[in-house]
Amino acid sequence: MPTDPTHPDARWIQRDADAFSELMLVKTRQYGVMFYDTELRITGWNQGAAFITGWTADEVIGKTTAILFVPEDRERKLDEHEAQTAALVGVGEDERWHLRRDGSCFWASGVSVPLHRDENGRVTGFVKIFRDATHLRARTRYLENELKENVARQAERDVFIGTIAHEMRNPLSPLRSAQQLLQMFAGDAERSCQPLAVIDRQLGFLEKLIEDLVDLTRVQSGKMSIAYERTHLQVLLSEAIESCRGLAHAQQISFHLSFPAVPIEIEVDSRRINQIFVNLINNAIKYNHPGGDVWLTATADQTHFVCYLKDNGKGIPAEIQPRIFDVFTQAEGTDAQRGAGLGIGLAVVRELVSLHQGTVEVRSEGVGKGSEFIVRIPLRGPA
């Protein structure tokens, strides 16, 4: 059984070697095989090369390999460069347009390698193995164009979101000032109480929407940074719960909390962690039934703290779950139970968790079966 003395792991039987040689040189049409010397003159040409290029062996033997190269590559002497690279490093990659006999082009994918050497180790002959990969090139170009278009659409959408957020900010200040003046000078407190509460609540929703839009564009454009500080997990979670109690009370939602008795010290951006959990808790309330329940559980291991936010509300359809953290997902699925709004809050949650080098995932058995969000974030900031 023949072996390569310089590579003892290489092994074959002669029958297989002979069959492979016949396959590559005579039978195959998928791979072109071209032999050439140091003067770049073609000395051998298999059936596959003839099938791919349209040239027969009689038409190319004795001619230079430049016959395959398009004019601009010949001007750059890339035919010579390919052979020089093969001689110098042992292989010359060939991923470029080549010519057929009829003047058309095909995308060649292959290599040139040294085949013969003299007693001094100098290369005296090469073999080039190539195939027609035009279909792969076309597919690659299609995907490249798709990527460019997607990037352009994303950039346009970011500009659109940023513009909306900026324009929506303008009327907020006078609205808030007017609401405060009404509170201060309301003549009939009993009659003005309800409309003032409505104004206050809607302004709060508008402010949150704008801040989420601004934060989303900042994160996606790389303009948001994390300001790490030491604090306690239980304090941050309790503050987030308190921020949402008014909405929970209005919908008769009950909170059930389970935190470790011993304070868990963490290094995070407190403002952003609060934002994460306020978004998640508000969602748990918003997509729940009147009289529903929300459970918030926290724990920690050696490296991370983990929080589980669970509700028994409307649940999440299976088809939306893989995209639930994508912006505008909820707007696209407005017929679903969990479908109101733009879906910006959860997109912000994912980005803020990622900035903390953490993860967030969702679980739901489907519509009407509640949902659970699991947030996992390192206990300490980057060293």
Side-chain angles (χ1 to χ4, degrees):
M1 181 177 290
T3 60
D4 182 345
T6 61
H7 297 86
D9 289 337
R11 187 173 301 170
W12 62 87
I13 62 175
Q14 190 60 46
R15 186 180 68 176
D16 289 343
D18 293 341
F20 179 74
S21 177
E22 182 180 7
L23 174 68
M24 292 299 294
L25 296 178
V26 180
K27 295 181 178 180
T28 186
R29 304 175 91 186
Q30 284 74 38
Y31 289 90
V33 179
M34 177 180 70
F35 301 95
Y36 61 99
D37 60 23
T38 54
E39 300 297 322
L40 307 187
R41 291 189 301 265
I42 299 172
T43 59
W45 192 255
N46 82 329
Q47 182 175 338
F51 177 76
I52 293 171
T53 67
W55 276 298
T56 66
D58 290 340
E59 292 173 319
V60 299
I61 297 296
K63 295 184 178 180
T64 66
T65 59
I67 194 174
L68 286 175
F69 287 73
V70 296
E72 51 268 38
D73 285 351
R74 285 201 296 265
E75 290 177 6
R76 300 173 188 152
K77 298 186 182 299
L78 294 184
D79 52 332
E80 298 177 16
H81 177 70
E82 184 178 316
Q84 291 167 356
T85 302
L88 182 64
V89 302
V91 60
E93 299 282 349
D94 183 43
E95 302 282 340
R96 70 183 75 256
W97 291 109
H98 275 350
L99 287 173
R100 295 190 181 94
R101 186 179 186 276
D102 62 8
S104 63
C105 294
F106 69 96
W107 184 259
S109 175
V111 293
S112 277
V113 295
L115 187 63
H116 303 296
R117 295 180 184 271
D118 62 18
E119 61 275 8
N120 297 316
R122 290 190 294 266
V123 177
T124 59
F126 301 88
V127 61
K128 176 171 179 169
I129 302 172
F130 61 95
R131 64 170 179 156
D132 181 356
T134 307
H135 62 294
L136 296 179
R137 175 64 175 175
R139 179 64 176 169
T140 301
R141 292 297 296 273
Y142 170 78
L143 293 175
E144 288 173 350
N145 291 335
E146 282 288 299
L147 178 60
K148 289 179 181 178
E149 291 177 5
N150 285 335
V151 169
R153 284 195 294 266
Q154 180 66 45
E156 290 174 358
R157 189 169 70 175
D158 288 346
V159 171
F160 173 70
I161 292 173
T163 302
I164 289 178
H166 178 74
E167 292 300 323
M168 290 177 69
R169 268 180 164 172
N170 293 333
L172 266 181
S173 180
L175 271 174
R176 178 59 77 183
S177 297
Q179 179 258 337
Q180 291 171 347
L181 287 172
L182 282 171
Q183 283 182 320
M184 292 171 58
F185 302 112
D188 190 339
E190 184 176 347
R191 295 182 62 184
S192 62
C193 182
Q194 184 176 358
L196 283 171
V198 171
I199 292 174
D200 183 63
R201 184 167 60 253
Q202 296 306 317
L203 280 171
F205 290 152
L206 188 56
E207 286 173 337
K208 182 180 180 303
L209 173 61
I210 291 172
E211 291 309 311
D212 282 348
L213 280 168
V214 171
D215 287 340
L216 186 61
T217 54
R218 283 176 181 166
V219 172
Q220 293 182 340
S221 61
K223 295 180 179 179
M224 180 179 287
S225 59
I226 295 298
Y228 284 95
E229 61 179 334
R230 293 204 171 191
T231 185
H232 290 109
L233 175 61
Q234 291 91 329
V235 172
L236 293 184
L237 295 180
S238 296
E239 289 175 351
I241 287 290
E242 289 306 314
S243 298
C244 303
R245 280 203 184 274
L247 181 61
H249 179 75
Q251 299 209 26
Q252 301 177 330
I253 301 296
S254 299
F255 287 136
H256 308 275
L257 311 179
S258 178
F259 304 155
V262 177
I264 300 174
E265 186 179 78
I266 58 177
E267 283 183 13
V268 294
D269 187 322
S270 297
R271 176 169 170 249
R272 298 306 177 187
I273 293 297
N274 178 272
Q275 189 175 356
I276 289 169
F277 285 100
V278 166
N279 262 316
L280 292 176
I281 295 167
N282 276 336
N283 267 7
I285 297 169
K286 181 178 180 181
Y287 297 107
N288 213 323
H289 307 286
D293 297 280
V294 173
W295 294 264
L296 178 57
T297 304
T299 187
D301 55 27
Q302 286 77 13
T303 59
H304 292 71
F305 67 85
V306 187
C307 298
Y308 303 85
L309 184 71
K310 186 177 181 180
D311 65 71
N312 57 355
K314 299 179 180 180
I316 306 173
E319 64 271 17
I320 289 182
Q321 291 181 37
R323 300 181 292 115
I324 193 67
F325 295 104
D326 294 344
V327 66
F328 301 137
T329 288
Q330 295 191 56
E332 294 168 0
T334 51
D335 291 335
Q337 288 288 330
R338 197 181 185 94
L342 295 175
I344 295 171
L346 289 181
V348 172
V349 165
R350 179 179 62 181
E351 298 296 346
L352 293 180
V353 171
S354 295
L355 282 176
H356 281 85
Q357 301 182 3
T359 60
V360 58
E361 61 180 295
V362 64
R363 298 174 184 170
S364 178
E365 295 182 5
V367 175
K369 297 184 178 180
S371 58
E372 182 178 29
F373 288 83
I374 302 100
V375 177
R376 183 179 176 85
I377 293 177
L379 292 168
R380 298 288 176 261

